[in-house]
Amino acid sequence: MAKRRSRGGGGPGSLTAAAGCLALLLSACSAPLSQPQESSPPATAGTAAASSAPLALLPATMGGSTLGAQYGRAAGIPEPTPQATAAAMVPPVTSYFVMVDDGGRHGVRFGCNDSLVGSAPAGGAGDTRLKAAMGGLLDGEQQHGGLFNAVGGSRLKFLSGSFDGTTVTVYLAGTLKPGGTCDLPRIEAQLTQTALQAVGAIRADIYINGEALADFLKSK
């Protein structure tokens, strides 16, 4: 007579399988839950987001003079030399010319109702300033930018000059050819004022061919 099977199927195999499932469920429940990663807060309006470039590649702030000089050298900009800086601080030399019959409207009135007007050519410092200022007259033409140069028609050459802190002394050589009576005060004023202004003197002694300027002009 055949044995009747149990409807519950609760044999030893069933119990073992049930125990395995229970163990899997317990291990899943005890595993730590993964924490969500914090997201970076978005950049607020008006502020720049952090750069992803390494700090070593970010440009340095050129706040100091050293960094500015390094940048200038890298860009090929030459640095000013002490001589160039000193030259920039020296005022230009001034040569004086005549505005004929101006009556003192544009300068100092003198002679035949003329005006003495300064013009500033390029010059140097010390004795070079005196030579450059006098050269602006001796080497110039009779007409200088609308001004008259009474020395321009002559053949005078600058020999030497000196300044003792008060008096400037100038030695010239050559020939002087005044164009008329009115040119005599023009020549004296131009040479004298140009020499005074070049070195900041208060007195000028000018000699032409070894003779004082006033005496030399009397013979003309």
Side-chain angles (χ1 to χ4, degrees):
M1 190 173 180
K3 293 182 180 181
R4 187 184 301 174
R5 292 183 178 179
S6 174
R7 293 183 179 180
S14 299
L15 293 175
T16 301
C21 291
L22 181 60
L24 291 174
L25 290 174
L26 291 176
S27 63
C29 293
S30 61
L33 298 177
S34 59
Q35 299 295 326
Q37 296 182 354
E38 296 182 0
S39 59
S40 300
T44 58
T47 59
S51 172
S52 60
L55 291 179
L57 299 180
L58 295 179
T61 302
M62 294 186 299
S65 58
T66 302
L67 287 174
Q70 292 175 353
Y71 176 80
R73 288 193 294 270
I77 303 173
E79 296 184 38
T81 62
Q83 293 82 358
T85 303
M89 298 175 62
V90 176
V93 298
T94 302
S95 300
Y96 282 84
F97 300 89
V98 179
M99 189 168 287
V100 178
D101 201 24
D102 182 65
R105 290 191 298 269
H106 297 90
V108 178
R109 184 179 181 275
F110 77 104
C112 300
N113 200 37
D114 299 327
S115 295
L116 192 63
V117 180
S119 177
D127 292 340
T128 304
R129 288 179 57 83
L130 179 58
K131 183 177 181 180
M134 299 301 294
L137 298 179
L138 305 181
D139 301 334
E141 302 293 335
Q142 284 189 321
Q143 297 299 323
H144 176 84
L147 302 175
F148 177 68
N149 182 11
V151 188
S154 303
R155 292 184 178 180
L156 290 176
K157 180 175 63 174
F158 178 86
L159 296 180
S160 63
S162 62
F163 177 50
D164 63 5
T166 303
T167 302
V168 57
T169 304
V170 178
Y171 294 94
L172 307 175
T175 59
L176 184 62
K177 297 179 180 180
T181 305
C182 286
D183 274 2
L184 298 180
R186 292 167 182 167
I187 292 171
E188 184 176 13
Q190 284 187 258
L191 292 176
T192 301
Q193 188 60 34
T194 297
L196 291 173
Q197 184 69 23
V199 295
I202 60 176
R203 172 187 169 90
D205 290 338
I206 301 175
Y207 297 90
I208 300 178
N209 299 331
E211 189 175 1
L213 177 60
D215 295 335
F216 187 84
L217 292 177
K218 288 179 182 178
S219 62
K220 298 301 178 183

